[in-house]
Amino acid sequence: MANSSSCIFCQIAAEQLPAEIVRIDDEFVAFRDVSPRAKTHVLVIPRSHVEHLDDFLADGGSSDRMLAFVRATAAEVGVEGQYRLVTNVGEAAGQVVPHLHWHILAGQRLPGFG
Ligand code: 5GP
Ligand code: ZN
């Protein structure tokens, strides 16, 4: 599905819903999370609708280009080399918005896992 009119992240990618966009190209968009969980909390999404990372990869999406965009976004917001990258795959993992997104969390010391 290229675009889902009911999907809030598709609407943000189409600039039909306001968001604080920090980086954009023809494949991906990065914007600030509306409810930040760290000093810097940016979301990176593909412009085309895809539910989560597993579907993106199954559809032949380029993880190289996506991660290069993530890295450039981190540099853009001033956290290059110092950030946490998280993507939730599926509801049981805590995914709320069913459009693939990476959380870039940074700007402060983050608690470790485990
Ligand atoms: P998930 O739990 O699905 O991995 O994360 C969804 C994220 O999207 C949450 O961190 C939430 O704050 C953020 N979010 C939900 N709705 C909006 C919105 O309309 N605008 C922006 N900028 N972020 C949103
Ligand atoms: Zn979508």
Side-chain angles (χ1 to χ4, degrees), residues 38-55:
K39 193 163 172 233
T40 299
H41 188 172
V42 172
L43 303 174
V44 170
I45 63 168
R47 296 174 77 113
S48 290
H49 184 83
V50 64
E51 193 164 322
H52 51 50
L53 180 62
D54 284 7
D55 285 355

Side-chain angles (χ1 to χ4, degrees), residues 7 10 49 99:
C7 170
C10 281
H49 184 83
H99 180 134

